[in-house]
Amino acid sequence: MGSYPSKPAFLSVMADQQVRLGQNVTLCCEANTGEVEAKWQKNDYHLQLVHGKHTGRKSGRIFTLEIMNVNKEDQGKYTLQLTNSSGDTSCSAMVIVELNEWRTAQWKIQPMITTLKNFKINNEKIRELRFLLHGPIGAGKSSTINTIKTIFEGHQFINCLAAADADVTGMSFTKKYEKFSFEKFAFYDVMGLEEEQLKGVRSDDIIKALKGHIPDNYEFKQECSMSEDNRYYIRHPTLKDQIHCLVSVIAADKVALMDGKVIRKMKDIRAEASKLRIPQLVFMTKVDLACTMTEKDLTKIYKSKMIKEKMEHCSIKLGVPVNCIFPVMNYHSGSNSNISEKLNCLMLEAFTQAAYSANDYVKKFSHNERDAE
């Protein structure tokens, strides 16, 4: 009777590779036997080896795949599957392609801090610029405010950290129309948007907040919107009551999974903001969860194919120009206590753009202000 070959197993597996455009990359692993049939896959589909592009080799028990002149389409998960009459096994590795820088970033924090601390509002009747953050539950609205406050205070601000639990509980931590002020800026946090009509913050309440009808610390009610006969309703809001910039907060790792009803609500809110001519930006959070290269080195965020695609996908879903989308990373309950200058720079760049946009708004509409004092 003939002997059966050893069931295939790996003695060493392929390692993830990060490579620049135009370079070659080699994936290599070793099995316990060479008596196998080897098949390569990319992103779980059969990889057709192309002459001049791919070279697959087997030398005894060593298996290699070389990819020549890497381009952005070569990024993905590569799998080697080994099979014989005794069984099969497989191992995988990611090839991450570093693109040419497609957007520049400011990695020196002090000039941005100085600019914001010396910021002059272009309307003498407005004492602070007002920003409203909205988006799905767990996107990181409260953590964004936490991060900005951390940057200005020089230590982690923990009042908003419980918001990170939304991913676990599925519930919005924020219940009130909360205001967080620092320097000449006021950030407003609201409940997260949810798929169901009677869950999360109501779109019509956010629209009323944009117009200045909702006072600070108003507690949202999911079953009904704030009405004009509510004693707290601001009937004749002025420019100082209104929102000066709308910031949509989206998690980079959840862009493709966003519920259609939530997207519809966000689009409705954006449409009303557009009618009011309120500037709008998107802060795309959790970039470290969406891209391995960015997680390892935040300064390569604008060389990441994954982040670029996430921004483009977000642009299509929300109808926001890509140049109005800013990828950021927050301090949150899972992060360590160390302050990261790279993280701070990325957030400050986004915040600075929001500040300039809001300032342009109050300057443009200052002539409509009725008794701001």
Side-chain angles (χ1 to χ4, degrees):
M1 296 178 61
S3 61
Y4 289 98
S6 300
K7 181 180 178 180
F10 287 101
L11 302 179
S12 65
V13 297
M14 298 182 293
D16 292 343
Q17 301 280 351
Q18 184 172 312
V19 61
R20 295 179 181 176
L21 286 174
Q23 292 183 331
N24 298 344
V25 62
T26 300
L27 301 172
C28 181
C29 58
E30 181 180 3
N32 63 334
T33 177
E35 297 181 59
V36 292
E37 179 185 9
K39 292 183 179 179
W40 289 95
Q41 295 179 335
K42 179 187 175 187
N43 296 331
D44 299 323
Y45 289 95
H46 173 68
L47 176 64
Q48 183 68 46
L49 301 185
V50 177
H51 179 71
K53 180 65 178 178
H54 308 105
T55 301
R57 294 189 179 93
K58 172 176 174 280
S59 177
R61 300 179 304 180
I62 306 295
F63 299 83
T64 60
L65 174 68
E66 185 177 12
I67 307 169
M68 276 75 78
N69 191 24
V70 166
N71 59 49
K72 64 180 182 178
E73 304 306 325
D74 292 319
Q75 178 163 304
K77 181 180 75 171
Y78 289 81
T79 301
L80 174 62
Q81 187 170 43
L82 302 180
T83 305
N84 64 20
S85 58
S86 297
D88 61 77
T89 189
S90 65
C91 71
S92 300
M94 286 293 301
V95 171
I96 301 169
V97 180
E98 183 179 321
L99 304 182
N100 295 325
E101 193 170 52
W102 41 271
R103 182 190 282 186
T104 57
Q106 168 65 269
W107 298 112
K108 293 183 179 179
I109 191 171
Q110 200 53 50
M112 289 187 282
I113 287 283
T114 301
T115 295
L116 291 169
K117 288 197 171 184
N118 297 329
F119 200 87
K120 180 176 174 58
I121 298 176
N122 288 331
N123 186 322
E124 61 183 13
K125 295 180 180 180
I126 301 300
R127 295 174 181 170
E128 57 185 10
L129 297 175
R130 294 157 59 93
F131 308 84
L132 189 151
L133 277 64
H134 81 122
I137 283 181
K141 299 179 298 298
S142 298
S143 292
T144 295
I145 295 172
N146 157 50
T147 299
I148 295 171
K149 197 165 182 69
T150 291
I151 294 169
F152 280 95
E153 294 195 354
H155 62 86
Q156 284 212 35
F157 178 66
I158 63 174
N159 287 23
C160 299
L161 290 182
D165 293 335
D167 279 336
V168 177
T169 65
M171 299 174 62
S172 181
F173 173 71
T174 306
K175 303 297 181 184
K176 294 182 178 181
Y177 188 48
E178 292 191 80
K179 176 183 177 181
F180 298 86
S181 292
F182 37 94
E183 300 296 331
K184 304 176 185 73
F185 312 104
F187 277 78
Y188 283 84
D189 196 8
V190 298
M191 297 172 68
L193 291 164
E194 295 193 50
E195 172 185 353
E196 297 181 32
Q197 185 62 32
L198 297 181
K199 284 191 175 182
V201 67
R202 297 174 62 93
S203 303
D204 44 359
D205 273 339
I206 292 184
I207 292 168
K208 287 171 184 172
L210 292 176
K211 295 178 179 179
H213 294 301
I214 295 185
D216 297 355
N217 296 315
Y218 171 75
E219 187 165 351
F220 294 105
K221 296 175 175 58
Q222 296 171 318
E223 65 276 7
C224 63
S225 176
M226 188 183 205
S227 62
E228 292 186 20
D229 57 2
N230 187 299
R231 62 177 176 152
Y232 298 113
Y233 185 86
I234 300 173
R235 293 184 174 276
H236 304 292
T238 62
L239 188 61
K240 70 176 182 179
D241 301 308
Q242 298 164 8
I243 294 299
H244 307 139
C245 182
L246 175 66
V247 179
S248 301
V249 182
I250 303 293
D253 62 325
K254 301 287 179 61
V255 171
L257 303 176
M258 283 180 60
D259 180 81
K261 292 180 181 178
V262 172
I263 294 172
R264 181 71 266 164
K265 289 180 180 181
M266 295 185 74
K267 283 186 172 182
D268 289 344
I269 293 165
R270 287 194 61 252
E272 287 298 322
S274 295
K275 289 179 184 177
L276 297 167
R277 303 175 76 178
I278 295 173
Q280 303 160 49
L281 302 176
V282 175
F283 285 9
M284 194 175 76
T285 62
K286 303 186 181 182
V287 293
D288 53 322
L289 300 181
C291 173
T292 303
M293 182 170 73
T294 298
E295 180 186 20
K296 292 179 179 177
D297 185 352
L298 208 52
T299 63
K300 292 188 176 181
I301 189 166
Y302 292 132
K303 294 183 178 182
S304 166
K305 176 177 182 284
M306 181 66 73
I307 295 300
K308 190 171 189 289
E309 289 177 346
K310 294 287 186 184
M311 291 172 63
E312 291 168 348
H313 196 177
C314 183
S315 172
I316 293 170
K317 281 207 166 192
L318 294 182
V320 179
V322 172
N323 64 357
C324 292
I325 300 173
F326 294 86
V328 297
M329 183 175 165
N330 288 327
Y331 294 108
H332 52 79
S333 58
S335 62
N336 60 39
S337 59
N338 295 329
I339 301 297
S340 166
E341 184 164 342
K342 294 176 183 177
L343 184 157
N344 291 354
C345 285
L346 207 57
M347 178 58 75
L348 279 180
E349 192 166 46
F351 175 39
T352 301
Q353 184 58 54
Y356 280 125
S357 297
N359 208 25
D360 288 343
Y361 177 82
V362 298
K363 179 182 179 181
K364 188 173 184 179
F365 288 88
S366 60
H367 66 279
N368 291 330
E369 174 58 22
R370 300 169 299 177
D371 188 23
E373 298 296 324

